[in-house]
Amino acid sequence: MLSVEGLVVRYGPIEAVRGIDFTVNRGEVFALLGANGAGKSSTLAAIAGLVKPFAGRITYDGKPVSGLPPETLSRAGIGLVPEGRRIFASLTVAENLWLGGAAHGSTAERQQLQKEMEERFPILGERARQKAGLLSGGEQQMLAIARALMARPKLLLLDEPSLGLAPQMVEKVFDLIAAMRKEGLTILLVEQNVPMSLQIADRGIVLANGHIVVSGTGVELLHNSDVTNAYLAA
Amino acid sequence: MEVFLQQCVNAISLGGIYALLALGLAVVFSIVRLINFAHGEVMTIAGYAIWLALLSSVPVVAAIILGITVAMLASVAMERIAFRAMRGASVTSLLITSFAVSEIVKVLFQNGISARPVPIVLPAWMSGSINMGFLTISVMSLISIIVVAVSLVALSVILTRTTLGVAMRAAAEDFPVVRLVGIKANHVVALAFAISGALAGVAAVLWVAQRGSVDPLMGAAPVLKAFIATVLGGLGSLSGAVLGGFVVGAVEVFLQGYLPESVAPYREAISLSIIIGLLVLRPDGLWPAQNVNRS
């Protein structure tokens, strides 16, 4: 579904991603792991079109998509839940959801989907008229994911969805990821919670300094001493 | 008391024009971080469009609608031609670009039409006044107040009830994420410039109607005041821009009305000192933008 070949991302003279290759298959959860600054978020940003790759090829659904603007990629079915959630704090919860689907489908479809989201995440229905900035961290994360789902993505990129959340909220987020996979969504997951990510991931890679150091299935990575070392060293 | 009420009406009517202009600057700034010094020229363009329309014996109402439409298109065209190429550039580069656009338009009018003012004759009833018992209000002040009120309500409807309007508010907060959900950046930016231009057009109609003439530098003075108003209100805050506009208008009108003649020449200096004083007390402005969480 998604293939990344020789991806290089640069910010001026700084090279954040130094030529990585990986493929995400349809319907799987693919984990992108690594310490801070390893190049995980930059990889997601390049796939979603937030930064232009310096070199390399990104293919989505068989078509080259490197360097396309984020609005085009969103319309093609790539959704990103950005790091730090980045909900629109001064807008209401309902407005956040509405905007999530604004560029996708008819008004009736959007209203239907918004109702589904408010049923799936009851707190978002209860707080529909409240400013999103007043939600708790976990609720904001739910809103950020629901906002991305409003665009009916086929490939969902999740950037550190459990970061800074209370333990029971973390569990809720991972339950949600499992549920979304069951519904047929392909998920590319960036996480610092390695054990939980690898329990849920079909496959994954570990990045360090912009390179891939290990790759394998979730279970393989979970029992790989290099992975533990990479994190202990960080 | 009568004089005071009279001055209040004047303050609201002048402040309203500043508020419209300040709002136009703030709408654009909040989204593309551009302080558009060519905003005054949008006003001037609207003024000349009305002049030309009346000269060609177009009815007044149609000329006014034409003026506002032309301002809207001029503003969108400025973005397309000059500012889009500079998107993402530093605030300074954008500022200099807007100065360039402003100078080019001014010179075009100076050389193409005339450096001197051209008269605009509006129907006599517009320059009349209404006697409301103890208070006499000029028709133009009343029209200004009503038009400003209607414009503000219309804008708030656009910003809260339309998808692109909500997207504009979201873009002021975090533009990249608006693009991530699939909303086209160019549409949001074009809407911001269209709204900004329409507001400048409305302000131009009111300004021209009160002064009866158009000249190439017409927009410069009121937009400078409007810029002060946006800073006073809190740069990038829409509510702040409106509040700032009314405060700047009120300070100007009341100083004009109550300052003794001996210090009258220092009116501008005194009014700017008051505004500096307010900014010392509230450095982020009277009503700052909620969250400017970008670098």
Side-chain angles (χ1 to χ4, degrees):
Chain A
M1 176 160 221
L2 177 81
S3 117
V4 173
E5 291 164 67
L7 178 69
V8 178
V9 178
R10 275 194 187 173
Y11 302 100
I14 301 156
E15 215 163 54
V17 180
R18 304 175 175 185
I20 61 168
D21 306 82
F22 64 92
T23 312
V24 180
N25 299 324
R26 195 175 299 275
E28 74 177 351
V29 173
F30 191 94
L32 208 56
L33 307 171
N36 268 340
K40 300 167 302 197
S41 290
S42 298
T43 304
L44 289 195
I47 296 167
L50 284 180
V51 297
K52 278 201 162 66
F54 179 78
R57 277 212 334 214
I58 303 170
T59 321
Y60 166 74
D61 249 356
K63 287 176 274 283
V65 292
S66 352
L68 292 179
E71 47 265 55
T72 310
L73 294 167
S74 164
R75 283 158 196 253
I78 299 180
L80 170 65
V81 179
E83 187 178 0
R85 311 185 266 278
R86 287 168 77 172
I87 49 134
F88 303 117
S90 66
L91 270 54
T92 65
V93 171
E95 282 173 332
N96 268 275
L97 288 176
W98 182 254
L99 274 190
H104 310 269
S106 68
T107 306
E109 283 169 352
R110 221 181 302 162
Q111 280 164 343
Q112 175 59 33
L113 194 54
Q114 186 152 2
K115 210 186 284 168
E116 282 172 35
M117 287 303 152
E118 288 174 355
E119 278 160 19
R120 180 164 199 171
F121 307 98
I123 188 73
L124 301 183
E126 285 163 33
R127 305 263 174 109
R129 307 269 154 248
Q130 265 185 34
K131 292 243 188 297
L134 298 175
L135 298 178
S136 74
E139 290 161 1
Q140 289 189 8
Q141 187 61 60
M142 293 299 161
L143 177 58
I145 294 173
R147 180 180 65 186
L149 291 178
M150 284 292 294
R152 298 181 189 278
K154 296 192 209 92
L155 170 66
L156 189 64
L157 316 176
L158 290 168
D159 199 349
E160 305 273 17
S162 79
L163 191 66
L165 299 186
Q168 70 265 41
M169 238 16 213
V170 172
E171 222 157 279
K172 231 173 158 175
V173 166
F174 278 99
D175 287 348
L176 180 61
I177 295 170
M180 290 189 296
R181 189 238 318 254
K182 228 178 215 166
E183 288 160 25
L185 201 59
T186 309
I187 294 168
L188 178 50
L189 173 68
V190 162
E191 255 299 337
Q192 32 74 45
N193 190 330
V194 178
M196 283 192 90
S197 309
L198 289 178
Q199 274 163 28
I200 200 171
D202 298 288
R203 294 185 308 128
I205 52 174
V206 179
L207 295 182
N209 297 318
H211 296 288
I212 296 176
V213 286
V214 199
S215 65
T217 65
V219 182
E220 279 167 13
L221 292 175
L222 200 54
H223 299 107
N224 184 319
S225 57
D226 284 347
V227 175
T228 354
N229 289 341
Y231 281 95
L232 289 175
Chain B
M1 187 62 190
E2 281 164 54
V3 176
F4 176 74
L5 285 175
Q6 198 80 58
Q7 297 291 13
C8 285
V9 171
N10 293 342
I12 296 171
S13 118
L14 180 68
I17 296 179
Y18 291 159
L20 293 185
L21 290 169
L23 202 48
L25 288 172
V27 161
V28 165
F29 181 81
S30 69
I31 290 173
V32 286
R33 306 280 124 173
L34 159 71
I35 298 164
N36 188 5
F37 267 97
H39 197 55
E41 280 52 58
V42 175
M43 227 182 134
T44 313
I45 290 170
Y48 277 109
I50 296 168
W51 169 71
L52 208 63
L54 291 177
L55 214 60
S56 328
S57 4
V58 171
V60 176
V61 176
I64 287 172
I65 294 170
L66 182 82
I68 295 168
T69 312
V70 167
M72 199 163 92
L73 295 176
S75 176
V76 172
M78 279 180 188
E79 192 272 325
R80 253 339 246 283
I81 296 164
F83 302 129
R84 186 170 295 182
M86 300 295 290
R87 199 175 293 166
S90 71
V91 172
T92 328
S93 308
L94 286 166
L95 188 66
I96 291 168
T97 309
S98 81
F99 273 123
V101 173
S102 162
E103 286 308 312
I104 290 167
V105 174
K106 265 184 228 157
V107 169
L108 284 179
F109 280 126
Q110 280 165 353
N111 295 340
I113 298 174
S114 167
R116 272 172 294 174
V118 293
I120 283 194
V121 187
L122 287 168
W125 62 266
M126 272 194 180
S127 51
S129 51
I130 305 166
N131 202 328
M132 300 169 73
F134 60 99
L135 198 63
T136 312
I137 300 176
S138 76
V139 172
M140 221 30 247
S141 296
L142 199 64
I143 292 179
S144 293
I145 293 169
I146 294 169
V147 167
V148 169
V150 169
S151 306
L152 295 181
V153 170
L155 180 63
S156 90
V157 168
I158 292 174
L159 289 178
T160 53
R161 297 269 179 274
T162 70
T163 300
L164 216 47
V166 175
M168 258 181 65
R169 280 159 55 218
E173 216 181 290
D174 195 336
F175 207 161
V177 176
V178 172
R179 303 182 66 190
L180 271 181
V181 297
I183 296 166
K184 289 188 174 150
N186 286 342
H187 290 182
V188 178
V189 173
L191 177 70
F193 274 89
I195 288 174
S196 167
L199 291 171
V202 173
V205 170
L206 300 174
W207 195 257
V208 163
Q210 288 178 1
R211 271 153 197 78
S213 69
V214 179
D215 66 89
L217 302 180
M218 175 187 113
V223 166
L224 191 60
K225 292 279 168 58
F227 174 65
I228 294 167
T230 54
V231 174
L232 178 63
L235 204 51
S237 151
L238 303 192
S239 327
V242 174
L243 179 65
F246 281 111
V247 171
V248 170
V251 168
E252 190 176 325
V253 165
F254 284 110
L255 287 181
Q256 191 158 16
Y258 291 103
L259 226 49
E261 213 157 300
S262 55
V263 287
Y266 303 104
R267 204 175 66 225
E268 292 283 314
I270 295 170
S271 86
L272 288 177
S273 304
I274 292 173
I275 287 158
I276 290 171
L278 288 171
L279 282 173
V280 167
L281 292 176
R282 303 209 51 163
D284 292 332
L286 299 174
W287 195 338
Q290 276 190 340
N291 32 10
V292 183
N293 52 6
R294 289 193 289 177
S295 53

